[in-house]
């Protein structure tokens, strides 16, 4: 499972909720770090903050989806910030509770 979130405290809360559910988590706080982690190992599911300091995660989301990874965006932007071409991804509006996000991950992993 990959969590890409530039808010350290938010990322830690999501990571804790996932670990509590027995899920191994890799956390990236930048797009570059996320791409490096994906190059090492393709996750089964990814929760992506839409906008990071070094860019948008749209291309990463498409690449992950095309390779069979379940993808969700968590963003403070309005729903129309994610283009229709990325309709494959579940969208959560911030602030979304770590438990809600973790429930999505668990459900996604059971589907794969």
């Amino acid at each position: 499972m990959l969590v890409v979130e530039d808010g350290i405290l938010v990322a830690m809360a999501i990571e804790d909720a996932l670990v509590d559910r027995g899920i191994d988590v890799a956390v990236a706080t930048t797009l570059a770090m996320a791409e490096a982690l994906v190059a090492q190992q393709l996750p089964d599911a990814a929760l992506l903050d839409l906008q990071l300091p070094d860019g948008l995660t749209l291309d990463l989301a498409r690449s992950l989806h095309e390779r069979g990874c379940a993808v969700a965006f968590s963003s403070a932007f309005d729903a129309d910030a994610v283009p229709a071409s990325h309709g494959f991804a579940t969208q959560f509006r911030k602030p979304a509770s770590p438990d809600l996000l973790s429930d999505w991950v668990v459900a996604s992993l059971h589907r794969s």
Side-chain angles (χ1 to χ4, degrees):
M1 167 64 206
L2 175 64
V3 174
V4 182
E5 169 62 58
D6 62 339
I8 299 297
L9 295 178
V10 173
M12 289 172 57
I14 296 167
E15 180 181 26
D16 287 347
L18 289 165
V19 169
D20 286 349
R21 287 165 172 79
I23 298 171
D24 291 328
V25 183
V27 176
T29 56
T30 66
L31 184 56
M33 185 186 297
E35 290 169 342
L37 287 171
V38 169
Q40 293 174 7
Q41 181 177 357
L42 180 67
D44 293 322
L47 179 61
L48 310 176
D49 187 349
L50 179 61
Q51 184 175 3
L52 299 170
D54 57 342
L56 296 176
T57 57
L58 294 170
D59 289 341
L60 176 61
R62 174 162 307 288
S63 172
L64 289 169
H65 172 70
E66 289 173 352
R67 296 167 64 192
C69 177
V71 177
F73 288 109
S74 179
S75 175
F77 293 110
D78 290 333
D80 61 356
V82 176
S85 61
H86 286 67
F88 57 82
T90 302
Q91 294 184 45
F92 295 98
R93 183 152 167 92
K94 286 183 178 180
S97 78
D99 286 329
L100 174 67
L101 300 173
S102 296
D103 289 346
W104 172 83
V105 171
V106 169
S108 296
L109 293 176
H110 285 288
R111 279 186 228 122
S112 56

